[in-house]
Amino acid sequence: MSPTRLVVLAWGNESRGDDGLGPAFLAHAEAQRDPAGVETTFVADFQLQPEHAIDLDGQDLALFVDASRTADAPFSFRRVEATRTATFTTHGVSPGAVLDAFSATFGRAAPPAYELAIRGDVFDLGEPLGARARTSLAAALAFFAGLRKRASAGRWNGEVGAGRVAGDFPAQPPPAPAAAARAVAG
């Protein structure tokens, strides 16, 4: 059986505080060994470009990783679909636009793709990663370690919407003690 080929694309500007979360994620994730049955390719850049569509060719899964001002802390995880954008610049190309570029270039659908958006707060020039960003990074790395062990679109679809390390919290919070007592008595 051939291994699942996973490509991880991470981007960001390390000289702008928490915008460096993508490259920091990649540095830590790349240092970890692949689990059995998975071959991971890592791609780092300053920003996404349409040319990153080439990095998706021959892959079974794709993961895009970046800092986000709007993601829930510590991170959010979602499925990415191809989207056509009507822009005249390549600055700020989205993961969906990269998938669209793949389809236009290769004449077929891109591999299943997901985005891991790590919450950042401080994006000022010359700032290091903030304390909260480092905490979010640690949670995202732990989440990715679990994803990597279960590298398949079917399994990853079950994680969509995650914003915490899977298994850290119960699916539903336990009832308050008074509510639990009423449920037993009622």
Side-chain angles (χ1 to χ4, degrees):
M1 180 179 214
S2 52
T4 299
R5 295 160 303 180
L6 167 64
V7 61
V8 178
L9 298 101
W11 65 98
N13 184 343
E14 295 171 281
S15 63
R16 287 200 165 272
D18 296 350
D19 195 42
L21 279 164
F25 175 91
L26 198 74
H28 289 283
E30 198 169 20
Q32 303 301 314
R33 293 176 50 170
D34 278 330
V38 178
E39 271 182 19
T40 309
T41 301
F42 295 94
V43 178
D45 212 331
F46 188 70
Q47 66 185 21
L48 279 182
Q49 310 270 345
E51 292 82 2
H52 284 112
I54 295 168
D55 296 314
L56 304 177
D57 191 30
Q59 302 295 329
D60 299 310
L61 280 171
L63 180 66
F64 294 91
V65 182
D66 190 22
S68 172
R69 294 177 191 263
T70 59
D72 290 335
F75 61 84
S76 64
F77 181 70
R78 70 178 186 93
R79 177 85 187 245
V80 179
E81 300 297 335
T83 55
R84 183 158 298 196
T85 58
T87 62
F88 296 102
T89 177
T90 59
H91 183 75
V93 170
S94 70
V98 173
L99 297 181
D100 186 61
F102 179 92
S103 296
T105 301
F106 293 99
R108 64 183 189 277
Y114 300 81
E115 180 180 46
L116 183 61
I118 307 170
R119 178 58 188 243
D121 298 311
V122 179
F123 291 80
D124 297 329
L125 186 61
E127 293 294 322
L129 283 179
R132 285 182 12 165
R134 288 191 305 273
T135 299
S136 294
L137 174 62
L141 286 163
F143 180 74
F144 174 66
L147 285 178
R148 209 167 170 190
K149 290 176 186 172
R150 302 178 312 277
S152 78
R155 291 178 178 164
W156 284 20
N157 285 337
E159 298 293 337
V160 167
R164 56 181 165 72
V165 178
D168 273 1
F169 305 101
Q172 296 180 354
R182 282 193 304 271
V184 171

